[in-house]
């Protein structure tokens, strides 16, 4: 399907407010995607998430698996030549979804039933629930 | 009231929840090691959750209250240094500290909110236990060694939270050496393995154990390829993912052979002859 | 006093915003203005003629032009009024374009008001202008060229062929620079040494060129027209007059060290010549590695082997003093240290190398005889990964700029590698391919179309060792796939940075640099080869990253600037210089302290009290005005910008009149100050 481009910066503004990051600083070198440890599990590469946000393709970004797979490991942030904090951007999208949809991405019931280190549980709850 | 002028050697110790739960071995071995080396760690009274994972939202200061309250309490007890054993706690406390220090308005808001606490003024240095050991110096460690590790090939696994973002890194974030220095002092032979700074999958272990298993497999195999007999880490979550997820790895990669995983402090306790502590732990 | 005001429309640039007619009417009423008019394009020939006619017809003695920036046409209008018989300093330009119409496009009324005030201020200032005469300074028609790479050589040859003497100073033992290290050059693939060495020889043999290699510029004093330069000739410990370049000495020398010319990939002896075609073909003892020291001689092997007895262990450094009228800076570039890229294992893995190292591996006269062998084990790499923008276009690493030549040399590297290792594979990671030069795009297309060379769009995140391979983690953003390549060797296109020592040299010459340390040109478009420090010219990569054709063009351009400077009968400098009022000067010396050019010296008066006073060396003074701001007695003023003139300008803009008011006693001071009071 052809994406009809039009002025569409609502999502971008909200994500900027949450994350404090300037998405247009990215010049699409792809270094984030080249080094992302979760890259193989993702449906969109990290640079594609930014690209889609840059061109205003909201729907693709809000429905992707990628933002939920980002574990905030900061590998991309540490190496980004333009100093874009991608980990913050991903969190921005996640928080936008959690806040607007008001429902958990994973509920506590969906988590594995085995003894886990408390930090694993708390971490998952923080990232996946409202 | 605030008790001013602690002895410089006294260091506030923030354990965090996991140290009292799945990572008791990390705590007992570390405290034993610290005692032997003359590091005076004092567990912070009435501590609460560190606030993990560090919140990356610019617009929600509530998420910073937990870590800042911890720092505020340590400060009001007169400490100038707070240390953690858990990488996750270290990362959260340190990032929160930098986050509020970078903007006085944030700090003011949080201080106003925490009216029951003394104002935090950014006077605390957050240091991971590894940094304290590094500052102590190689010689001190070497002196304490009773059973030289005899060239045990150790893969030092850092993961993410000690090294990234760069502002909180305890060492060079691409080619760290701090744990290697320590292992050398114990008589072990650290092996270089590039996956030592790769993410293990972190909290995804709670929802996607298979993803974490795939990550852990690559990390452990990379350590093995480079000659490691054992992988050491400081993070209870990495420890869980690298050790306990080996059963999940086996389900995916049937040929996978187990790999020893241990906390760096356990290896130290071993070398220092503190076996009793380890057994009891 | 009879002032004429000429207001330019500049097409619609000014007239589209400013109400010109209203402006002319108001300006006509100003004091001393006897004539005011407007013109479509004042800078055009008819426009200038109009000014000249009006000057004569209305017997004008001063002129105000309200138009574009004086940087643009200040000189044009000054020349025009001079031709009409006025002193060229009796003109003032009111900049109502850049400083008014262009920046207030939507505010017509306010823009018109501002234009009026700017003109009013110019009228007030020009009313106090004095006729000035140029300052004549001596002109030594010799040039110093610092740096003996291709840019320095080209500039030297052009100026020498123009009939003037050239001193060419190079810090290494040979001229040739980086170009001598290259294998073949893009896009023509002609051999770099083959096209360069004849030029090197020509420069060395040219009767007008004095060549100083293994030498450095120690000190420069003076200004355009007459610089005194001290060159330090480092001791070679070999008499260049006697040395025949036979190489018998190097044969017997027991010390082997890495050869800088081969980027450390090959070896040389402690007595050496960088490469066989070096100019001059004279051997040099590198005392840092020689077994002998300045005080102790323990090895005489080379001395014994030398037939013409050219070796002299007792040689010391020598200082040479010369006088020149202009200086060309051609100090070139270095590559940014590879160790900065920890994520690529720079400095950690021997097979992660830089572009110049790869050139040496390709070169038939290089350390591997032109067989591409990797540094770690000498094996022929069957899979090579090239990473472009490895540090360039990377603000986080401090190099936000594009290094310009890497796209082309990487394409060339990949192609030459395929020529050398036909069954090898080459991968090029790029963000953009910038091939904007004559036949460059065609060349890149040829490379991309060559079997076995794959261009991947994206930046590499990490390189690490796996057994004897280098694992490269990259991405191809065009297909949206993260990739892994097991390579035998990785070549990084590192940023081009100003060569070591450029900063110190620029400071010595007071020539400004940009934030990266490259020398700044006076105008990026119209005056790209001149430093804002008059008499200093720029050639090659000292100004910005450049390839060979650009460096050579710029060198020739710098040479032509020097030649046109030298074609003057005498050197006339703008008389915008500081002037001391001896009656007011109390000899406090503040002006001398703040002068950035060392143009002011304190002298003693000949009277009984022997009081001090300031004296300005007009040749050194650049008219910056620091002294004027520092002087508490208003005793030193820059001609053309005197305090009364500047005050008149300010009062005119503020519609104010100067009134002397007593400022009440403050701690430690009781001074008269002039305050500005608005009229009621």
């Amino acid at each position: 399907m052809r994406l009809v481009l039009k002025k569409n910066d609502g999502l971008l503004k909200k994500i900027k407010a949450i994350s404090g990051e300037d998405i247009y600083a990215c010049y699409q070198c792809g270094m984030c995607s080249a080094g992302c440890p979760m890259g193989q599990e993702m449906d969109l590469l990290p640079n594609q998430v930014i690209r889609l946000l840059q061109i205003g393709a909201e729907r693709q970004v809000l429905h992707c698996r990628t933002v939920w797979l980002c574990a905030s490991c900061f590998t991309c942030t540490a190496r980004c030549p333009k100093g874009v904090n991608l980990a913050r951007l991903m969190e921005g999208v996640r928080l936008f979804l959690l806040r607007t949809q008001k429902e958990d991405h994973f509920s506590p019931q969906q988590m594995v039933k085995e003894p886990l280190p408390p930090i694993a549980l708390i971490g998952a709850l923080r990232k996946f629930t409202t | 009231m605030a008790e001013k002028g602690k002895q410089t050697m006294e260091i506030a110790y923030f354990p965090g929840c996991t140290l009292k739960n799945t990572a008791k071995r990390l705590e007992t071995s570390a405290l034993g090691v610290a005692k032997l080396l003359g590091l005076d760690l004092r567990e912070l009274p009435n501590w609460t959750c560190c606030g993990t994972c560090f919140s990356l939202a610019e617009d929600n200061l509530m998420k910073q209250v937990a870590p800042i309250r911890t720092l505020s309490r340590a400060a009001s007890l007169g400490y100038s240094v707070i240390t953690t054993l858990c990488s996750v706690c270290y990362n959260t406390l340190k990032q929160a500290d930098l986050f509020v220090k970078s903007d006085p308005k944030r700090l003011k808001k949080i201080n106003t909110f925490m009216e029951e606490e003394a104002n935090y003024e950014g006077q605390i240095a957050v240091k991971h236990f590894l940094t304290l050991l590094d500052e102590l110096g190689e010689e001190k460690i070497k002196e304490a060694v009773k059973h030289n590790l005899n060239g045990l090939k150790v893969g030092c696994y850092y993961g993410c939270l000690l090294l990234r973002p760069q502002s909180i890194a305890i060492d060079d974030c691409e080619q760290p050496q701090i744990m290697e220095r320590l292992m050398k002092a114990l008589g072990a032979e650290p092996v270089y393995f590039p996956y030592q700074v790769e993410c293990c999958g972190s909290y995804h272990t709670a929802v996607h154990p298979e993803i974490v298993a795939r990550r852990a497999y690559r990390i452990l195999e990379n350590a093995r390829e480079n000659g490691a007999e054992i992988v050491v880490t400081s993070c209870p979550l990495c420890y869980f993912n690298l050790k306990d997820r080996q059963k999940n790895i086996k389900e995916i990669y049937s040929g996978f052979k187990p790999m020893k995983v241990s906390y760096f402090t356990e290896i130290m306790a071993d070398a220092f002859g503190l076996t009793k502590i380890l057994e009891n732990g | 006093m009879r002032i004429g005001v000429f207001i330019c429309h500049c097409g619609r640039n000014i007239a589209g915003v400013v109400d010109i007619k209203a402006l002319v009417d108001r300006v006509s009423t100003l004091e001393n203005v006897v004539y005011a008019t407007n013109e479509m394009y004042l800078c055009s020939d008819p426009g200038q003629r109009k000014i000249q006619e009006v000057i004569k017809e209305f017997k004008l003695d001063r002129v105000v032009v309200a138009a574009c920036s004086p940087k643009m046409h200040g000189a044009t209008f000054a020349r025009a009024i001079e031709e009409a018989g006025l002193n060229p300093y009796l003109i003032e330009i009111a900049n109502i374009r850049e400083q008014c119409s262009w920046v207030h496009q939507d505010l017509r009324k306010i823009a018109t008001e501002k234009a009026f005030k700017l003109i009013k201020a110019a009228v007030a200032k020009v009313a106090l202008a004095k006729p000035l005469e140029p300052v004549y300074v001596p002109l030594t028609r010799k040039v110093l060229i610092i740096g003996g790479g291709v840019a320095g050589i080209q500039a030297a040859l052009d100026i020498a062929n123009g009939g003037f003497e050239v001193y060419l100073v190079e810090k290494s033992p040979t001229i040739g620079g980086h170009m001598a290290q290259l294998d073949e050059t893009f896009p023509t693939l002609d051999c770099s040494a083959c096209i360069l060495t004849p030029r090197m020889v020509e420069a060395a043999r040219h009767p007008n060129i004095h060549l100083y290699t293994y030498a450095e510029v120690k000190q420069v004093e003076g200004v355009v027209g007459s610089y005194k330069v001290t060159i330090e000739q480092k001791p070679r410990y070999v008499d260049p007059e006697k040395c025949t370049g036979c190489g018998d000495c190097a044969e017997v020398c027991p010390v082997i060290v890495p050869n800088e010319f081969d980027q450390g990939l090959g070896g040389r002896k402690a007595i050496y010549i960088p490469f066989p075609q070096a100019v001059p073909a004279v051997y040099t003892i590198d005392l840092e590695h020689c077994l002998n020291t300045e005080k102790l001689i323990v090895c005489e092997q080379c001395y014994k082997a030398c037939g013409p007895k050219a070796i002299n262990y007792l040689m010391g450094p020598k200082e040479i003093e010369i006088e020149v009228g202009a200086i060309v800076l051609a100090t070139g570039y270095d590559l940014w240290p590879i160790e900065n890229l920890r994520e690529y294992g720079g400095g950690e893995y021997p097979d992660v190398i830089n572009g110049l190292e790869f050139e040496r591996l390709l070169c038939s006269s290089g350390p591997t005889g032109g067989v591409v062998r990797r540094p770690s084990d000498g094996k022929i790499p069957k899979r090579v990964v090239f990473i472009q923008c490895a540090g360039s276009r990377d603000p986080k690493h401090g190099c936000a700029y594009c290094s310009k030549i890497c796209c082309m040399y990487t394409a060339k590297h990949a192609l030459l590698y395929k020529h050398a290792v036909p069954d090898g594979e080459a991968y090029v990671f790029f963000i953009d391919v910038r091939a904007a030069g004559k036949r460059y795009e065609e060349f890149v297309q040829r490379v991309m179309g060559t079997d076995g060379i794959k261009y991947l769009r994206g930046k590499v995140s990490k390189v690490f060792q796996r057994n004897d391979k280098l694992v490269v983690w990259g991405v191809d953003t065009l297909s949206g796939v993260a990739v892994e390549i097991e390579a035998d060797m990785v070549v990084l296109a590192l940023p081009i940075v100003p060569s070591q020592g450029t900063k110190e040299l620029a400071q010595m010459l007071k020539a400004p640099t940009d934030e990266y340390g490259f020398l700044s040109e006076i105008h990026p478009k119209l005056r790209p080869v001149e430093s804002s420090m008059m008499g200093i010219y720029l050639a090659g990569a000292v100004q910005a990253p450049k390839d060979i054709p650009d460096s050579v063009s710029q060198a020739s351009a710098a040479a032509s600037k020097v030649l046109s400077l030298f074609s003057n009968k005498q050197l006339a400098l703008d008389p915008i210089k500081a002037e001391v009022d001896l009656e007011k000067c109390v000899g406090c010396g503040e002006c001398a302290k703040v002068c950035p050019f060392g143009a002011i010296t304190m002298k003693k008066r000949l009277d009984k009290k022997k009081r001090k006073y300031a004296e300005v060396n007009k040749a050194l003074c650049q008219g910056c005005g620091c002294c004027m701001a520092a002087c508490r007695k208003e005793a030193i003023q820059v001609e053309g910008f005197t305090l009364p003139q500047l005050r008149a300008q300010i009062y005119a803009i503020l519609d104010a009149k100067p009134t002397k008011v007593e400022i009440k006693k403050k701690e430690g001071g009781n001074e008269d100050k002039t305050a500005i009071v608005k009229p009621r």
Side-chain angles (χ1 to χ4, degrees):
Chain A
M1 198 191 77
R2 196 185 285 273
L3 175 74
V4 179
L5 292 185
K6 53 184 183 220
K7 187 173 177 179
N8 185 13
D9 54 4
L11 177 64
L12 215 58
K13 277 187 185 150
K14 282 173 192 140
I15 290 173
K16 184 164 185 179
I18 301 173
S19 68
E21 288 300 306
D22 177 12
I23 210 147
Y24 292 111
C26 168
Y27 65 177
Q28 288 293 321
C29 71
M31 204 179 189
C32 48
S33 302
C36 180
M38 286 292 183
Q40 277 116 313
E41 314 284 346
M42 290 170 170
D43 51 354
L44 289 175
L45 288 178
N47 76 292
Q48 292 176 316
V49 172
I50 299 197
R51 188 68 198 140
L52 290 165
L53 282 171
Q54 283 175 333
I55 66 170
E58 277 187 16
R59 204 181 53 83
Q60 283 87 336
V61 172
L62 295 180
H63 289 88
C64 75
R65 209 168 117 86
T66 294
V67 295
W68 298 105
L69 283 167
C70 165
S72 309
C73 78
F74 285 95
T75 305
C76 50
T77 305
R79 293 185 189 144
C80 175
K82 296 295 298 289
V84 177
N85 194 327
L86 214 61
R88 278 185 171 274
L89 273 174
M90 295 288 180
E91 182 117 326
V93 180
R94 281 193 298 266
L95 285 174
F96 172 79
L97 286 164
L98 290 173
R99 289 178 191 178
T100 50
Q101 298 175 348
K102 297 193 172 61
E103 68 179 63
D104 297 342
H105 183 68
F106 282 108
S107 66
Q109 289 74 30
Q110 285 169 290
M111 292 178 190
V112 295
K113 307 281 180 289
E114 60 180 307
L116 290 174
I119 38 175
L121 274 175
I122 301 169
L125 289 172
R126 288 260 164 130
K127 296 283 179 182
F128 296 138
T129 63
T130 53
Chain B
M1 262 322 286
E3 191 188 326
K4 294 282 172 198
K6 286 264 178 198
Q7 293 273 314
T8 45
M9 281 305 287
E10 282 179 32
I11 295 162
Y13 159 56
F14 177 83
C17 52
T18 309
L19 275 279
K20 304 292 180 186
N21 193 298
T22 61
K24 281 183 188 149
R25 294 177 68 83
L26 173 57
E27 176 165 59
T28 35
S29 55
L31 292 181
V33 162
K35 197 170 166 197
L36 192 85
L37 292 171
L39 286 170
D40 195 356
L41 304 191
R42 303 290 177 97
E43 184 170 325
L44 215 55
N46 303 325
W47 55 268
T48 56
C49 172
C50 69
T52 197
C53 302
F54 176 73
S55 163
L56 298 173
E58 192 90 349
D59 64 346
N60 188 352
L61 286 181
M62 275 308 285
K63 298 267 166 90
Q64 309 299 339
V65 170
I68 298 305
R69 184 165 48 209
T70 298
L71 299 181
S72 157
R73 284 184 184 169
S76 63
L77 289 172
Y79 292 105
S80 55
V81 176
I82 187 167
T83 193
T84 72
L85 297 167
C86 169
S87 305
V88 188
C89 296
Y90 165 74
N91 189 283
T92 307
L93 292 180
K94 184 88 179 181
Q95 284 214 67
D97 187 37
L98 294 179
F99 183 73
V100 297
K101 275 185 194 161
S102 68
D103 183 354
K105 272 186 256 159
R106 290 175 184 154
L107 188 55
K108 200 177 163 204
K109 231 178 197 170
I110 291 179
N111 276 330
T112 315
F113 179 79
M114 307 187 302
E115 51 182 349
E116 79 287 3
E117 307 282 342
N119 275 0
Y120 177 58
E121 280 144 12
Q123 64 271 53
I124 286 270
V126 182
K127 289 186 180 177
H128 190 266
F129 190 51
L130 272 168
T131 306
L132 293 183
L133 294 174
D134 202 50
E135 286 170 357
L136 211 55
E138 228 171 296
E139 286 312 308
K140 273 264 169 67
I141 309 278
K142 277 185 185 160
E143 280 167 23
V145 173
K146 284 218 176 76
H147 311 297
N148 189 294
L149 293 179
N150 273 330
L152 176 72
K153 294 198 166 177
V154 180
C156 299
Y157 178 73
Y158 291 83
C160 317
L161 299 166
L162 295 179
L163 302 176
R164 291 186 295 265
Q166 272 153 320
S167 51
I168 63 95
I170 65 167
D171 199 359
D172 183 89
C173 70
E174 298 292 349
Q175 315 258 356
Q177 282 296 314
I178 185 167
M179 235 191 293
E180 277 80 353
R181 279 197 292 275
L182 178 63
M183 290 300 135
K184 268 188 214 154
L186 300 174
E189 188 191 317
V191 299
Y192 165 69
F193 79 111
Y195 276 68
Q196 64 180 176
V197 297
E198 289 289 315
C199 177
C200 67
S202 184
Y203 55 81
H204 283 288
T205 205
V207 287
H208 295 303
E210 74 292 351
I211 291 181
V212 169
R214 285 197 282 270
R215 293 295 312 154
Y217 172 71
R218 291 199 188 96
I219 292 163
L220 294 172
E221 284 307 305
N222 186 251
R224 200 195 315 269
E225 276 168 24
N226 286 282
E229 300 167 63
I230 183 167
V231 171
V232 299
T233 181
S234 77
C235 175
L237 182 47
C238 299
Y239 179 88
F240 177 86
N241 285 345
L242 295 184
K243 191 168 188 174
D244 297 66
R245 286 281 171 242
Q246 290 194 16
K247 63 177 191 301
N248 306 66
I249 295 177
K250 191 80 183 158
E251 285 166 20
I252 308 171
Y253 308 96
S254 57
F256 176 75
K257 297 268 180 322
M259 171 61 105
K260 273 195 234 166
V261 177
S262 145
Y263 290 114
F264 72 99
T265 48
E266 289 184 281
I267 289 229
M268 289 183 78
D270 211 17
F272 291 174
L274 302 171
T275 35
K276 256 220 165 105
I277 285 186
L278 290 178
E279 279 157 25
N280 297 342
Chain C
M1 186 151 315
R2 302 178 65 78
I3 300 175
V5 180
F6 300 84
I7 301 169
C8 183
H9 292 221
C10 195
R12 291 201 48 78
N13 273 303
I14 295 169
V17 179
V18 171
D19 184 345
I20 301 276
K21 195 180 168 303
L23 205 54
V24 172
D25 290 347
R26 282 183 75 187
V27 164
S28 313
T29 65
L30 289 170
E31 200 184 340
N32 295 330
V33 173
V34 297
Y35 186 89
T37 187
N38 62 91
E39 195 70 28
M40 189 59 105
Y41 290 107
L42 268 179
C43 60
S44 68
D45 216 30
Q48 292 184 49
R49 254 202 318 276
K50 170 90 175 266
I51 298 174
Q52 293 170 335
E53 283 160 15
V54 173
I55 289 173
K56 283 173 192 153
E57 193 184 335
F58 289 85
K59 300 198 167 41
L60 299 182
D61 53 14
R62 289 191 175 38
V63 168
V64 168
V65 168
C68 55
S69 163
K71 275 191 168 178
M72 194 73 173
H73 282 308
T76 314
F77 294 123
R79 212 179 309 118
I81 72 159
E82 192 177 17
E83 283 170 18
L86 282 184
N87 180 284
Y89 294 91
L90 296 176
I91 183 170
E92 197 60 40
I93 312 280
N95 179 357
I96 60 166
R97 193 178 75 172
E98 284 86 341
Q99 291 178 356
C100 187
S101 67
W102 277 1
V103 286
H104 306 299
Q105 298 218 347
D106 305 321
L107 305 163
R108 297 178 55 94
K109 224 173 156 181
I110 292 171
T112 306
E113 179 63 23
K114 181 172 172 182
F116 172 69
K117 291 217 164 146
L118 289 171
I119 296 170
K120 191 178 160 202
V123 169
K125 187 180 172 214
V126 84
L128 300 174
K130 284 190 304 186
L132 300 174
E133 295 304 325
V135 175
Y136 292 100
V137 293
L139 174 59
T140 307
R141 288 187 182 76
K142 295 177 186 175
V143 67
L144 166 70
I145 297 179
I146 308 176
V150 66
I153 291 171
Q154 181 68 36
L157 285 172
D158 285 353
I159 297 169
N161 288 336
F164 297 100
E165 270 182 74
V166 176
Y167 295 92
L168 180 56
V169 179
E170 165 59 44
K171 71 176 168 191
S172 73
T174 175
I175 54 171
H178 285 308
M179 187 177 166
Q181 293 178 286
L182 308 183
D183 180 38
E184 293 172 9
T185 55
F186 60 78
T188 47
L189 295 187
D190 37 12
C191 152
S192 189
C194 311
I195 55 178
L196 180 67
T197 45
R199 290 291 178 93
M200 290 160 60
V201 174
E202 195 186 339
R205 288 200 186 140
H206 202 293
N208 280 344
I209 297 179
H210 309 279
L211 182 60
Y212 293 94
T213 53
Y214 211 46
E216 282 184 54
V217 173
K218 264 262 146 347
Q219 204 184 359
V220 178
E221 282 176 343
V223 280
V224 57
S226 54
Y227 294 101
K228 282 198 174 64
V229 180
T230 311
I231 300 169
E232 190 193 85
Q233 173 71 64
K234 292 178 274 184
R236 285 190 121 102
Y237 305 103
V238 176
D239 185 342
E241 301 297 322
K242 291 183 186 162
C243 177
T244 60
C246 68
D248 289 348
C249 51
E251 210 139 288
V252 297
C253 177
V255 182
I256 299 179
V257 291
N259 187 355
E260 298 84 355
F261 186 76
D262 284 333
Q263 295 287 305
L265 294 173
R268 63 160 170 85
K269 296 296 183 69
I271 185 163
Y272 72 109
I273 188 165
F275 57 102
Q277 302 86 356
V279 172
V282 174
Y283 276 73
T284 303
I285 294 179
D286 155 22
L287 205 63
E288 200 189 317
H289 296 104
C290 177
L291 298 176
N292 300 326
T293 66
E294 270 172 41
K295 292 193 181 115
L296 189 66
I297 294 166
V298 294
C299 170
E300 288 185 313
Q301 301 256 32
C302 55
Y303 180 80
K304 284 179 192 151
C306 181
K309 296 285 165 229
I311 288 163
N312 173 7
Y313 297 126
L314 300 175
M315 218 177 245
K318 214 166 64 183
E319 285 198 349
I320 300 140
E321 297 211 341
I322 57 168
E323 274 188 37
V324 296
I327 298 174
V328 177
L329 280 179
T331 48
Y333 71 92
D334 280 337
L335 289 181
W336 194 61
I338 200 166
E339 290 76 15
N340 291 340
L341 290 172
R342 308 278 289 171
E343 59 271 42
Y344 297 162
E348 200 85 22
Y349 308 132
D351 296 329
V352 176
I353 62 171
N354 70 35
L356 278 175
E357 288 170 326
F358 195 67
E359 290 285 347
R360 297 313 297 153
L361 294 179
L362 287 169
C363 191
S364 52
S365 61
T368 52
V371 181
V372 180
R373 292 184 186 282
R374 62 182 200 172
S376 64
D377 55 9
K379 280 188 193 155
I380 296 174
K382 295 292 183 181
R383 196 178 286 142
V384 180
V385 169
F386 297 90
I387 304 176
Q388 293 188 186
C389 298
S392 299
R393 305 177 67 196
D394 186 340
K396 187 133 113 211
H397 275 122
C399 299
Y401 57 89
C402 165
S403 286
K404 197 173 176 192
I405 64 173
C406 328
C407 286
M408 293 309 296
Y409 78 60
T410 301
K412 178 195 77 178
H413 282 170
L415 190 68
L416 294 181
Y417 166 72
K418 277 296 288 178
H419 289 173
V421 187
D423 62 337
E425 294 167 71
Y427 293 87
V428 179
F429 282 97
F430 71 99
I431 307 177
D432 300 288
V433 172
R434 294 176 173 172
K438 194 167 177 173
R439 305 217 181 280
Y440 286 11
E441 175 61 17
E442 296 94 313
F443 179 75
V444 171
Q445 289 303 329
R446 171 185 165 193
V447 174
M448 285 179 164
T450 300
D451 180 41
I453 299 175
K454 285 193 182 65
Y455 268 70
L456 298 162
R457 197 211 165 271
K459 198 165 171 178
V460 168
S461 178
K462 180 166 171 148
V463 176
F464 60 91
Q465 192 122 30
R466 183 187 288 158
N467 305 319
D468 70 336
K469 301 278 185 190
L470 290 164
V471 179
V472 178
W473 280 352
V475 68
D476 177 48
T477 60
L478 296 177
S479 56
V481 178
V483 298
E484 174 176 307
I485 302 171
E486 259 197 354
D488 297 308
M489 190 156 86
V490 173
V491 184
L492 304 183
L494 296 169
I496 302 278
V497 294
S499 67
Q500 215 192 340
T502 303
K503 192 179 159 195
E504 292 73 20
L505 198 57
Q507 274 168 356
M508 184 160 71
L509 297 171
K510 298 194 176 67
T513 56
D514 65 17
E515 66 266 48
Y516 306 110
F518 291 109
L519 269 288
S520 301
E521 62 287 331
I522 194 163
H523 192 287
K525 295 172 187 96
L526 302 176
R527 297 176 73 180
V529 302
E530 296 159 81
S531 165
S532 61
M533 195 58 176
M534 212 181 150
I536 310 285
Y537 302 89
L538 313 174
V542 70
Q543 182 239 1
K546 278 192 193 71
D547 59 15
I548 297 166
D550 280 2
S551 294
V552 170
S553 320
Q554 203 195 10
S556 285
S560 91
K561 288 284 170 191
V562 172
L563 292 174
S564 69
L565 177 79
F566 287 177
S567 70
N568 286 305
K569 279 210 187 82
Q570 48 185 351
L571 192 53
L573 301 181
D574 214 9
I576 309 297
K577 309 272 181 199
E579 178 83 27
V580 180
D581 182 341
L582 287 176
E583 281 182 19
K584 286 185 183 167
C585 179
V586 294
C588 69
E590 285 301 317
C591 52
K593 265 188 235 164
V594 299
C595 177
F597 304 97
I600 302 176
T601 41
M602 300 309 294
K603 295 258 167 98
K604 273 191 187 142
R605 296 186 199 236
L606 296 172
D607 59 7
K608 276 184 197 160
K609 288 183 187 164
K610 304 249 189 262
R611 284 179 307 143
K612 283 189 174 172
Y613 70 99
E615 190 179 88
V616 177
N617 178 334
K618 295 276 164 122
L620 290 175
C621 175
Q622 301 290 312
C624 70
C626 288
C627 52
M628 189 157 117
C631 181
R632 276 169 288 189
K633 295 288 169 187
E634 297 189 7
I636 192 161
Q637 310 253 353
V638 175
E639 299 276 21
F641 292 86
T642 61
L643 281 169
Q645 280 183 293
L646 300 184
R647 271 194 205 108
Q649 232 177 335
I650 295 167
Y651 297 146
I653 286 175
L654 296 177
D655 283 332
K657 277 184 190 150
T659 321
K660 284 226 163 177
V661 291
E662 283 288 318
I663 304 265
K664 282 191 180 167
K665 264 192 191 177
K666 275 189 182 173
E667 269 175 284
N670 180 18
E671 286 178 24
D672 269 9
K673 290 230 167 122
T674 309
I676 293 159
V677 180
K678 276 242 175 200
R680 288 195 188 94

